[in-house]
Amino acid sequence: MAKISYVDGLYLHYKDSKIHIEDRGYHFGDAIYEVVMFNEGIFFDYDEHIKRLLRSLKSLNITLPISCKSLKIIIKNVIKKNKVVFGSIYIQVSRGVAQRNHSYKNLTLKPIIIISVTEKNNDYLNNFIGVSAITLNDNRWARPDIKTTQLLPNILAKTIADEKGAYEAIFVDQDDYITEGSSSNIWIVNYDNELITRNLDGQILSGITRNAVKNCAVQNNIKILERKFLKDELLTAKEVFLTSATSFVTPIVKIDNSSINNGLIGELSCSLRELYLKAMKTSN
Ligand code: PDD
């Protein structure tokens, strides 16, 4: 397990990595976060993750208290201090510490940055299996496009999936359209071999992996349609897969009681995963 974390200006041992009880992230989920993968000194889409971090911060009127250059130095230090070769970095920025009060008007707070690293086994990169998913009503707040730590509906959904032996919970909006997974973006392939994923209409997170996979598809002349799709289209699709920083491209071969592609990993999911990982090898 990684032992050293960065907590508000200090590199601390795991057991000392603590946050004040009045941190607004702890009180209200008044914080944003990012998860970035890295392998052998190469970050997967680092700049894009940092751009989204800054966008999320701006949406919540929080200012990153250090420069992006310093942030990268700290991230590299955390990786180095833990001697991790392959893993993920977690970055969280909360509004800061203040006596509990919903409004932050007139508060001059210093945002609190924490950075931790999780080591992953190389199998994680190579193991390529089809997973199952369940569908659930999307009961999240109206701004899922902001990457906040306020993730209660997501963690409840993921736990229900887990209890049912499924890898992911896929959210369905009130009109029966798919939004996204509890921690991933969802894609389908239709019988014309077109890729379909929900457009960025504010009801999903603009996934960094989603964008990278989109670029891979465009470069390889695979047709992409960015539009809403119904739960019915999902259940009868030729292929279904999810994307996220930590799951890359992961095929979904069963949803609720429906088999997708006869329970087998689809060809397009397979090639997109390869193309994505190849692109990430040089993505710094
Ligand atoms: N989650 N949608 C949601 C709700 C997510 O939480 C995530 C990522 C994604 C995919 O985004 P990206 O491709 O940028 O990772 C979509 C991260 C991995 C997490 O919460 O751990």
Side-chain angles (χ1 to χ4, degrees), residues 5 13 31 34 79 87 135 143 150 167 217 237 257 273:
S5 309
H13 199 275
E34 277 296 328
I79 294 172
T135 55
R143 294 298 310 273
Q150 187 193 275
Y167 182 82
N257 292 320
R273 182 177 170 109

Side-chain angles (χ1 to χ4, degrees), residues 89-105:
I89 274 285
Y90 178 78
I91 311 163
Q92 180 177 310
V93 185
S94 81
R95 191 179 305 280
V97 174
Q99 206 170 26
R100 189 174 182 279
N101 179 17
H102 288 61
S103 167
Y104 58 85
K105 185 171 177 278

Side-chain angles (χ1 to χ4, degrees), residues 8-71:
D8 191 23
L10 301 171
Y11 294 96
L12 298 174
H13 199 275
Y14 191 70
K15 69 173 178 20
D16 301 315
S17 298
K18 291 176 184 164
I19 285 288
H20 195 282
I21 56 159
E22 292 201 307
D23 183 279
R24 287 183 61 99
Y26 178 57
H27 273 158
F28 301 114
D30 190 0
I32 63 89
Y33 77 103
E34 277 296 328
V35 179
V36 189
M37 292 294 294
F38 63 90
N39 190 21
E40 294 178 349
I42 294 179
F43 291 106
F44 291 18
D45 265 334
Y46 182 85
D47 291 346
E48 295 306 310
H49 280 281
I50 299 305
K51 272 189 223 158
R52 187 176 61 189
L53 177 100
L54 296 175
R55 263 201 328 269
S56 301
L57 285 170
K58 197 167 173 212
S59 312
L60 301 187
N61 302 312
I62 300 174
T63 309
L64 190 68
I66 57 172
S67 69
C68 287
K69 203 172 157 196
S70 304
L71 181 68

Side-chain angles (χ1 to χ4, degrees), residues 167-187:
Y167 182 82
E168 180 59 303
I170 300 175
F171 288 128
V172 185
D173 71 15
Q174 55 193 14
D175 300 318
D176 230 25
Y177 286 101
I178 300 305
T179 52
E180 61 183 331
S182 71
S183 63
S184 62
N185 290 116
I186 303 296
W187 302 67

Side-chain angles (χ1 to χ4, degrees), residues 33-35 49 52 140 144 147 151 154 180-185 205-210 243-246:
Y33 77 103
E34 277 296 328
V35 179
H49 280 281
R52 187 176 61 189
R140 299 174 300 162
K147 202 163 170 63
L151 288 170
N154 307 56
E180 61 183 331
S182 71
S183 63
S184 62
N185 290 116
L205 185 74
S206 173
I208 304 304
T209 321
R210 175 188 178 281
T243 55
S244 81
T246 47

